[in-house]
Amino acid sequence: MATNVTAEALDESPIPHQHKQTVDPYNVSGEVGEDGVVKAIDYNKLVEEFGTKKIDQALLERFEKVTGKKPHRFLRRGIVFSHRDFEAILDRYERGEPFFLYTGRGPSSDSVHVGHTVPFEFTKWLQDAFDVPLVIMLTDDEKYLFSEKRTIEEVQGYCSSNAKDIIAIGFDPKKTFIFSDFEYMGGAFYRNVVRLSKHITLNQARAIFGFDNSTNIGRIHFGSIQGATSWAHSFPHIFGTDEKRTSIIPALIPCAIDQDPVGRARANYLQILSGLEQRCRLPLTNLPVSQNFYRDGSPIYVVHFVRLLNEKVFMRDTPNQIKNKVNKYAFSGGKVSVEEHRAQGGDTSVDVSYQYLTFFLEDDEELERIRLAYESGEMLTGELKAICIKELQAYVAAFQERRAKVDDATVELFMKPRPLSWVGNPRAPIVVPKVEPNADGAEPKEGGDGKLTKNQLKKLEKQKQIEAKKAQKAKEKEDQVAAKEA
């Protein structure tokens, strides 16, 4: 159910002027009507405007069939709701063709909160499901360029702390490379930055990012840096130095929908420069960490829940701090009195505790039981908050236990340019060779000399055909057995 909120309810003055909704990488705001009412972000309209596709049941069923894994709760519940070319990624996985994951974080504080961990949790799940390499970009340069107060030394300090937080999600160092823009810039990566920057005009940057005449040139240029990470050959230590082969390896990018205009423009430039297919993107809805928490097109305006920095649920919070924050600040969908609530029930669509459970409670049946109990009046707000507190406490405690084991040496390992090791689809061969480390410590090369012979290519193709035939025969056998049993 869509809900509106007035500017007064948000303690904003004066009432905003009428304008359409704005969604770009640095500005997200709902439409404001003639009466000053701030409306929900219309995600269905965004899907239409941006040209993405809704993730439907058919796509989820195909994912499960291809990977053999149940879709993540974010996919099942529409939290990850839209995509570009995800079918192409599933096609590549079926054929055993390589792709990689790319995500990132702008280090702006020394500790992450629960909302920051959500996209990383989903990214880790994708990496485990597909068994592919992952690159994580720490945009310390961006946070310096887009802040009037932060120093380079400050954002670099946040980088180390944030890297430890990210590692504590549970990423595998054998398959994961984390890098700082300040530290990694150069070589193949910078060549791709320059390639992209040559094809992005000032007018295009203004249209995509909302820049104006007062924007510094560092901000204008940053899109090229962010875009270059989509190229596999920006990482020769992972994919090799032969750009003719590595340029066909696409990236799967979990991101918020406000980043999609960047991805769309970047994909166009990539096609112009090298004929690459579009990068696949999985936009997430906005997460429950900002003043306006949207999900499935319905806004929840939580004026007091996370208004101040110290009111967010940080991953360093104690169990008691989490309990106090939820009890004190989590907006309730319950009624004024117990009697009224028992008679009419609560509204889960605006109840923050319930919305948190949609993100952190894995059991679909239990979540539905809670919804029905709360909406019928059987469950009271205090009981619902207690369930939310328990889930958050367990989530944060598990993170803190892993975080305590991450030291400087662990960070150094993840951030060292090195070959990665992954399998991909175990039922199909990887057609592009991975980089193997040299015994002498020299620059790693793919396949020994960096090239595959014609015989090697023929063997790979033959192996792929054999695996495909085996899979087809196995399927036919299964169909025959199922037909007999029926």
Side-chain angles (χ1 to χ4, degrees):
M1 179 181 73
T3 305
N4 295 334
V5 66
T6 61
E8 289 93 339
L10 293 173
D11 287 341
E12 294 173 353
S13 181
I15 294 176
H17 296 295
Q18 181 181 6
H19 64 73
K20 295 181 180 180
Q21 69 178 21
T22 301
V23 176
D24 64 47
Y26 300 105
N27 303 281
V28 177
S29 61
E31 181 181 348
V32 178
E34 294 180 359
D35 55 359
V37 173
V38 182
K39 299 180 180 179
I41 294 292
D42 187 339
Y43 282 103
N44 289 325
K45 187 175 180 181
L46 283 182
V47 168
E48 242 179 72
E49 289 178 353
F50 290 173
T52 62
K53 296 179 182 178
K54 292 291 288 288
I55 293 177
D56 57 18
Q57 188 59 35
L59 186 61
L60 296 182
E61 288 173 1
R62 188 183 173 214
F63 172 87
E64 187 164 4
K65 181 180 178 182
V66 169
T67 65
K69 295 175 174 63
K70 181 181 179 180
H72 193 277
R73 61 183 180 276
F74 293 173
L75 292 166
R76 302 195 305 268
R77 297 169 188 171
I79 293 170
V80 178
F81 67 98
S82 170
H83 74 99
R84 284 187 183 276
D85 304 316
F86 191 46
E87 304 100 330
I89 289 293
L90 294 178
D91 290 342
R92 294 186 70 87
Y93 184 77
E94 274 191 309
R95 296 192 298 261
E97 296 172 353
F99 61 93
F100 70 103
L101 282 160
Y102 154 38
T103 191
R105 163 152 173 79
S108 56
S109 64
D110 61 356
S111 177
V112 298
H113 51 64
V114 289
H116 291 141
T117 68
V118 168
F120 287 109
E121 286 278 353
F122 183 60
T123 300
K124 180 187 181 301
W125 179 85
L126 287 171
Q127 185 186 47
D128 292 343
F130 289 120
D131 195 354
V132 292
L134 162 68
V135 295
I136 299 175
M137 181 186 204
L138 296 177
T139 57
D140 41 12
D141 52 347
E142 177 196 25
K143 288 305 174 183
Y144 172 70
L145 290 167
F146 282 78
S147 171
E148 299 300 326
K149 297 181 179 179
R150 294 190 184 101
T151 65
I152 288 179
E153 293 74 20
E154 181 182 1
V155 295
Q156 284 185 307
Y158 294 154
C159 236
S160 176
S161 175
N162 285 188
K164 291 179 179 179
D165 290 334
I166 292 168
I167 292 167
I169 297 297
F171 291 109
D172 185 345
K174 294 178 182 178
K175 296 185 287 188
T176 308
F177 173 54
I178 303 175
F179 69 96
S180 146
D181 284 353
F182 277 138
E183 299 301 322
Y184 187 65
M185 184 65 69
F189 184 47
Y190 186 62
R191 286 196 295 273
N192 285 337
V193 170
V194 173
R195 283 169 174 155
L196 275 177
S197 63
K198 184 177 181 179
H199 290 268
I200 301 175
T201 68
L202 177 59
N203 284 339
Q204 288 168 333
R206 282 174 170 169
I208 296 168
F209 298 101
F211 295 148
D212 57 32
N213 290 336
S214 65
T215 303
N216 67 58
I217 60 174
R219 295 184 184 184
I220 296 168
H221 178 63
F222 178 73
S224 303
I225 300 172
Q226 190 177 32
T229 316
S230 299
W231 261 324
H233 50 81
S234 289
F235 309 98
H237 59 280
I238 301 174
F239 302 104
T241 56
D242 187 342
E243 292 189 3
K244 289 182 180 179
R245 281 184 291 164
T246 59
S247 65
I248 65 172
I249 302 175
L252 172 58
I253 311 170
C255 66
I257 190 72
D258 61 326
Q259 293 295 314
D260 186 76
V262 184
R264 188 168 69 250
R266 178 168 59 219
N268 292 338
Y269 297 130
L270 292 175
Q271 289 178 315
I272 291 170
L273 293 172
S274 58
L276 297 182
E277 59 190 83
Q278 288 191 355
R279 312 296 85 177
C280 174
R281 304 173 70 78
L282 288 175
L284 294 122
T285 53
N286 287 357
L287 304 175
V289 297
S290 62
Q291 187 168 291
N292 301 337
F293 165 29
Y294 300 94
R295 183 179 180 280
D296 290 344
S298 298
I300 299 170
Y301 292 90
V302 190
V303 179
H304 300 294
F305 184 48
V306 289
R307 197 161 188 76
L308 302 176
L309 184 65
N310 61 3
E311 290 171 0
K312 296 176 184 176
V313 178
F314 282 92
M315 300 308 289
R316 64 189 176 196
D317 282 352
T318 65
N320 198 47
Q321 285 175 317
I322 295 171
K323 178 181 177 180
N324 290 338
K325 287 179 179 181
V326 173
N327 280 331
K328 186 175 181 180
Y329 298 109
F331 185 81
S332 166
K335 297 299 186 286
V336 176
S337 67
V338 172
E339 293 75 16
E340 187 180 352
H341 184 89
R342 293 290 192 198
Q344 300 179 21
D347 186 353
T348 55
S349 71
V350 298
D351 191 285
V352 169
S353 295
Y354 178 81
Q355 293 300 323
Y356 262 89
L357 290 176
T358 66
F359 279 84
F360 297 105
L361 184 62
E362 174 62 30
D363 191 328
D364 292 335
E365 292 183 1
E366 176 64 10
L367 183 66
E368 179 65 3
R369 185 196 70 78
I370 292 169
R371 184 186 70 80
L372 292 174
Y374 191 67
E375 291 183 351
S376 69
E378 177 188 344
M379 180 180 290
L380 298 175
T381 295
E383 295 171 308
L384 179 56
K385 285 191 174 186
I387 297 172
C388 175
I389 290 166
K390 183 179 178 181
E391 288 295 325
L392 282 176
Q393 287 174 334
Y395 180 77
V396 173
F399 172 89
Q400 290 174 351
E401 185 177 346
R402 295 189 300 269
R403 178 66 163 77
K405 299 175 183 177
V406 180
D407 56 18
D408 291 341
T410 309
V411 174
E412 185 178 349
L413 170 63
F414 272 88
M415 299 188 74
K416 179 181 179 182
R418 68 204 186 282
L420 300 181
S421 176
W422 69 96
V423 174
N425 187 347
R427 293 167 291 184
I430 294 179
V431 298
V432 176
K434 293 176 285 187
V435 179
E436 301 296 341
N438 292 332
D440 58 4
E443 183 70 18
K445 296 181 179 180
E446 53 195 297
D449 61 359
K451 295 182 179 180
L452 285 178
T453 65
K454 290 183 179 179
N455 285 336
Q456 287 174 322
L457 289 171
K458 286 180 180 178
K459 286 180 180 179
L460 281 174
E461 182 60 29
K462 187 176 181 180
Q463 184 183 357
K464 186 168 76 168
Q465 292 173 358
I466 291 171
E467 293 291 338
K469 287 180 180 178
K470 285 181 180 179
Q472 181 62 29
K473 286 181 179 179
K475 186 178 183 303
E476 290 173 357
K477 190 175 180 180
E478 288 176 5
D479 292 341
Q480 290 172 359
V481 172
K484 287 179 181 179
E485 290 178 349

